[in-house]
Amino acid sequence: MSKLLSRPSQTLLPDAKARYENLGFTDNPFPAQPAVDKDSQDPRINGDIYEIEIRRKELQKINNNFLKVPQSNPNHLRLGYIIDTSYIGRGNGKSAFLINLHEQIGKDYCFDISSHANKCFSLYIAPEPGGRCKTFPLLMDLIFSTMISSEILDVCLATIRLEALNKVNSAKFQEIIQRDDADIIKFLNNPKWYEENAIQMSDIVAAAYTIPNLSELGENFPLFLGKNTLSPELSTVDDFKEYYKTFIKKPSDKLDFIFSKLVYFFESAGFNGAYILIDNFERIPDFQSGRQKKDFASELRTCFFDGFYRNAKIGFYNVFLVLHAGVPGLISEAWSESGLDNRAPINPKTESNHIVLFEKLSKEHAILLIRKYLDEYRIKKSVVNKLLPFTEEAISYISQLSEYNASKILKFAYELIEKLVESSDSEIIDKAFVEKQEFHHTTDSDRGVPTIDEVQSEDLLKKVQG
Amino acid sequence: MPIEKHILNKNDTRAFLEATCLDLSSSDLTINTIIEDAQSWQKEVHCLSLFAAIFLERQSHEGGNCQPLVDRIYGLEDKMCFSMNECDPDFVEYLLRNIRESGLPMEEILTDILTRYSNYDRSKTIRM
C-alpha cells in the first residue's frame, strides 16, 4: 500500500486540553522570573499587567505635585525622589510603577491631566549595572540615546516641519493634517514625500529657521543641514546622532547641547517640559567615589537649578530618581556638600511634596495584584469569584511568607499554579495547599545563608591600621 | 547615686529573654536575680540588639513566630529597668574612638565596649 494512504493505528486525542485549561486559564498567569523588562513582549514582565489601585496614593501625589502643576510656574518641582521604604530587597513594584507613569505621560503628553497647561514627554532611563554610567556626562549619553530610541526627536522634527509647511504651502498642510499622527510623522520625515508633492526642501528649511527659538540654535544644528546650499537635505535622527558623536566632544558642549540647544528645539516643537525617570538610580552612586558623588550632585544642581543653561532657567526637564531604601544615606553627604540638599532635600523622614515614599505592600494590595494577573489570563472573564483558584486566606499566607514583596508573591503564585496543575487531589489553592508546598519555598537556611551567629566578623579598624 | 548597670552577654541575653518573653523559668540564679533587680528598678539591664537578633533568629529556626516576640522584647522597657542598645551612630563612634583589647572574640569586645559606654558619664563632657 502506498505510504501516502497509510494511517497510524493510534489516533491523537480529539478533545485534548491545554495545560492550564482545566483551571480556566490560557497560560500560567504569573511570571516565572518576575523582573521587569520594558522591552519584553511578555505582558507578565514588561509592566503591561499593572494594578493601578495598589499605587493609587503614590500616583496621586505625583499627579498633584508634578504633572498638574503648570511648567510656567517658576516654583514647579524639578527634582523628585521615589524612595522605597522597605529593606526587604528588590521587587517592590517600583519599575512597573515607573513604566506605567512613563506611559501615562506619553499617552497624551500630559495634556489632559494638566488641563492643557503642559505638554511634556517622558524618558524612561535605566542605567546599566556595572558602573558604565557613573559620571554626569555618561548619564547624558544615556539620556540622549534614550531620546533617539523613544522617537521623540522624530515627533519634534515632524511638528516643526508641519509648522513650516503651513507657511510654505497651506493647501498641502490642510491635506496632511487630516491624516493620523503616525502618518504625518512618517511623511514629513521622508524626503520622497516632498519630491512626490513638489515641495522644495530649501523652502521648508528656510521656513523652519524663522520659527521662534530655532534661530537660537545656530546654523550648525542638525535640523538646518545644508541650509545655505542649493539643495538642502532633509535632516533625520541619524544626523542628530552623527552631530552628537562628531561635534560634541567636551563634557561642557554635551551639557550645552542637552540642556540648552535641545530644550530650544523641544520648545519649538510645542513642548514645555519633559520628565526624565531614572530607575535603579543606585547603579550610579554605587560606583562613585566620595568626590565623584559630590561632582555628580553639583552638576545636577547646575544643570537643573542654578546654571546658565536654558533648562536651569525655565525648569524644562523634571527628573525622578528612583531610590532603594539605603540609597539616600549613600548620597546625602554629597547632596548636602553640593548644595543640592537646599533645592531638593533627600531626607525621607520628612514629609515633602517632592518625595514619594514607596511603602511595603499590604494584604489587600496582594489580593489586588493576584486578581489582576488572574484576570488577564482567564478564559471566561465572567467568573464570579475573581480570585479562583486562590482563597483569600491563601493569598494572605503567601504574602506573609513572601514578606509582602510583590516579586516574591508573583513567583510563589507561579509555583503554586504549577503544583495545582500537577495535583490530582486539589482544585483550589487554600492555606492547607500552600502549607503542603511550603518546603519548596526557599528559606535562608535552604540557600545556605549562615546565621548571624555563624557569620565571620572582621575587625575593620585593625585591618585599616594594618 | 547612679543606678548600677548590668550588661548582658550573648548567653545571658538568651536566658534573660527566654525568662522574660517566653515565660520559661531559668535555673540560672544569677539571671533570676538580675531580672528581680531590674523589675524593682535597682539595676539597669542593657542588651545589644545584635544578641537579641541572634535570639530571635534561633526562635525563628525553631518555628516560633517572631513578630509578637519582637513586641514583647521592646515592651520590656515599660515593665522593668531595661534598655536595648541599637548600635546607633553614637555607639559606633564611641566604639571607634576607644581602645579595644585585640584578639578577643567580637561578642566580648562588644560587651566590654557597651559596659564602658553605658557607664560613660556625659554630664561633664565639653562639647566642641
Side-chain angles (χ1 to χ4, degrees):
Chain A
M1 195 174 82
S2 158
K3 67 178 174 187
L4 296 178
L5 290 172
S6 61
R7 295 285 181 269
S9 59
Q10 302 288 318
T11 51
L12 297 170
L13 294 173
D15 55 349
K17 286 193 168 178
R19 181 172 166 84
Y20 305 96
E21 204 174 333
N22 278 340
L23 297 178
F25 299 113
T26 53
D27 198 348
N28 189 328
F30 303 100
Q33 291 300 329
V36 176
D37 176 4
K38 185 173 162 282
D39 301 321
S40 165
Q41 293 299 312
D42 186 345
R44 288 168 290 197
I45 57 167
N46 66 7
D48 270 7
I49 303 179
Y50 183 69
E51 178 52 74
I52 198 159
E53 285 305 320
I54 297 176
R55 297 296 178 191
R56 173 71 70 191
K57 200 178 74 185
E58 288 84 351
L59 188 63
Q60 205 76 44
K61 191 166 183 183
I62 291 178
N63 285 347
N64 292 340
N65 299 334
F66 286 87
L67 307 188
K68 286 184 182 175
V69 180
Q71 285 284 111
S72 54
N73 178 347
N75 295 325
H76 76 267
L77 298 170
R78 302 177 184 190
L79 178 57
Y81 309 108
I82 297 176
I83 304 177
D84 203 341
T85 57
S86 114
Y87 282 86
I88 48 173
R90 309 184 70 82
N92 212 7
K94 290 187 301 304
S95 297
F97 175 79
L98 215 59
I99 288 172
N100 279 274
L101 178 64
H102 167 69
E103 277 165 15
Q104 183 199 310
I105 296 169
K107 204 162 57 185
D108 67 344
Y109 298 129
C110 268
F111 217 48
D112 279 353
I113 196 163
S114 66
S115 309
H116 298 196
N118 298 333
K119 187 180 176 187
C120 303
F121 62 89
S122 157
L123 300 171
Y124 173 83
I125 313 274
E128 285 176 39
R132 284 181 62 189
C133 203
K134 69 176 180 176
T135 65
F136 199 71
L138 287 172
L139 177 66
M140 291 308 104
D141 292 347
L142 185 61
I143 289 176
F144 183 68
S145 65
T146 311
M147 281 176 184
I148 302 280
S149 59
S150 72
E151 297 176 359
I152 191 64
L153 295 179
D154 292 289
V155 172
C156 292
L157 284 172
T159 311
I160 289 167
R161 282 168 188 155
L162 192 64
E163 207 170 313
L165 181 68
N166 192 20
K167 289 181 184 170
V168 172
N169 186 337
S170 59
K172 271 280 162 235
F173 171 80
Q174 291 300 335
E175 190 188 313
I176 199 169
I177 55 166
Q178 306 301 324
R179 313 293 292 254
D180 66 28
D181 285 357
D183 279 349
I184 298 175
I185 294 168
K186 196 170 84 183
F187 292 147
L188 291 179
N189 290 336
N190 183 357
K192 274 190 186 165
W193 184 85
Y194 294 91
E195 268 175 42
E196 284 163 8
N197 290 280
I199 298 167
Q200 291 293 320
M201 268 318 301
S202 52
D203 294 343
I204 295 289
V205 173
Y209 198 69
T210 62
I211 295 174
N213 288 329
L214 280 184
S215 46
E216 302 275 348
L217 298 173
E219 294 185 355
N220 285 336
F221 194 74
L223 179 67
F224 307 117
L225 211 64
K227 177 177 175 285
N228 294 330
T229 61
L230 283 173
S231 55
E233 290 170 33
L234 187 77
S235 57
T236 62
V237 171
D238 286 338
D239 296 317
F240 277 76
K241 265 199 278 190
E242 190 60 32
Y243 177 80
Y244 190 80
K245 209 169 109 185
T246 318
F247 295 105
I248 299 180
K249 299 279 185 204
K250 287 190 289 182
S252 57
D253 292 345
K254 216 174 258 189
L255 299 184
D256 184 53
F257 181 71
I258 303 270
F259 291 104
S260 284
K261 289 190 172 167
L262 278 182
V263 172
Y264 281 123
F265 174 68
F266 291 132
E267 278 185 77
S268 311
F271 289 98
N272 67 353
Y275 283 87
I276 301 176
L277 315 176
I278 305 185
D279 201 1
N280 297 317
F281 179 71
E282 77 282 358
R283 288 177 182 171
I284 298 174
D286 263 357
F287 297 92
Q288 290 174 329
S289 64
R291 193 178 160 187
Q292 283 171 328
K293 281 192 190 96
K294 193 187 152 197
D295 287 350
F296 187 92
S298 301
E299 292 194 274
L300 205 59
R301 181 185 160 187
T302 309
C303 295
F304 287 91
F305 292 101
D306 302 328
F308 205 66
Y309 302 108
R310 173 74 178 156
N311 179 59
K313 291 175 188 169
I314 62 167
F316 185 86
Y317 298 116
N318 308 294
V319 189
F320 270 110
L321 304 182
V322 178
L323 314 171
H324 285 287
V327 182
L330 192 69
I331 57 176
S332 61
E333 199 180 327
W335 250 235
S336 118
E337 281 177 3
S338 65
L340 193 55
D341 223 19
N342 300 328
R343 296 303 204 167
I346 202 166
N347 187 356
K349 283 174 190 153
T350 322
E351 169 70 25
S352 316
N353 287 344
H354 67 287
I355 296 181
V356 180
L357 295 178
F358 227 70
E359 307 283 350
K360 208 156 78 162
L361 296 188
S362 66
K363 179 191 144 192
E364 287 69 33
H365 290 151
I367 290 172
L368 286 170
L369 182 72
I370 298 256
R371 194 168 73 183
K372 182 74 182 175
Y373 273 82
L374 293 173
D375 273 354
E376 293 292 325
Y377 282 83
R378 221 180 266 290
I379 298 167
K380 285 184 189 162
K381 305 282 181 197
S382 55
V383 177
V384 180
N385 183 354
K386 298 277 189 190
L387 288 180
L388 270 179
F390 290 88
T391 65
E392 220 175 288
E393 192 192 18
I395 297 177
S396 173
Y397 189 50
I398 293 166
S399 317
Q400 202 185 332
L401 290 174
S402 309
E403 297 166 307
Y404 293 93
N405 176 286
S407 156
K408 286 183 189 169
I409 292 172
L410 293 176
K411 174 122 176 68
F412 205 171
Y414 170 88
E415 285 167 6
L416 288 168
I417 289 279
E418 291 298 321
K419 291 285 167 202
L420 189 64
V421 169
E422 285 156 18
S423 157
S424 53
D425 55 352
S426 184
E427 287 178 358
I428 57 162
I429 298 174
D430 54 9
K431 191 178 173 190
F433 184 85
V434 182
E435 276 171 344
K436 248 193 279 173
Q437 316 298 330
E438 207 186 308
F439 59 93
H440 290 292
H441 188 64
T442 50
T443 59
D444 281 353
S445 48
D446 294 337
R447 290 192 292 265
V449 177
T451 63
I452 305 171
D453 219 359
E454 290 163 358
V455 173
Q456 290 296 312
S457 60
E458 189 175 4
D459 190 335
L460 293 173
L461 195 62
K462 200 173 160 189
K463 196 175 166 188
V464 171
Q465 286 167 346
Chain B
M1 184 171 163
I3 190 166
E4 194 189 335
K5 295 181 172 85
H6 183 90
I7 314 302
L8 298 171
N9 63 20
K10 191 169 72 183
N11 290 335
D12 284 353
T13 302
R14 184 181 175 184
F16 182 88
L17 294 179
E18 276 178 354
T20 51
C21 299
L22 295 175
D23 299 326
L24 298 174
S25 56
S26 174
S27 55
D28 187 338
L29 286 177
T30 323
I31 285 295
N32 290 335
T33 315
I34 292 168
I35 293 170
E36 276 169 28
D37 288 348
Q39 281 167 339
S40 56
W41 296 79
Q42 288 173 7
K43 198 173 263 183
E44 189 177 325
V45 176
H46 285 259
C47 171
L48 267 166
S49 58
L50 172 71
F51 299 151
I54 292 171
F55 167 76
L56 282 168
E57 191 181 50
R58 186 170 288 136
Q59 292 301 318
S60 166
H61 284 177
E62 287 169 8
N65 184 1
C66 288
Q67 187 57 52
L69 208 48
V70 171
D71 296 336
R72 292 186 79 172
I73 293 173
Y74 280 88
L76 287 177
E77 288 178 350
D78 302 329
K79 294 179 186 164
M80 58 177 75
C81 197
F82 175 82
S83 169
M84 180 69 79
N85 185 290
E86 305 282 3
C87 298
D88 59 10
D90 282 349
F91 179 71
V92 175
E93 192 179 342
Y94 185 86
L95 183 121
L96 294 172
R97 285 184 187 279
N98 284 271
I99 297 162
R100 286 173 271 153
E101 205 173 325
S102 59
L104 287 178
M106 186 178 71
E107 181 204 338
E108 286 180 38
I109 293 175
L110 286 174
T111 315
D112 174 47
I113 289 285
L114 183 58
T115 309
R116 282 149 58 192
Y117 178 71
S118 59
N119 285 305
Y120 184 64
D121 183 0
R122 291 172 180 75
S123 61
K124 290 179 183 167
T125 305
I126 299 166
R127 287 191 175 271
M128 297 297 284

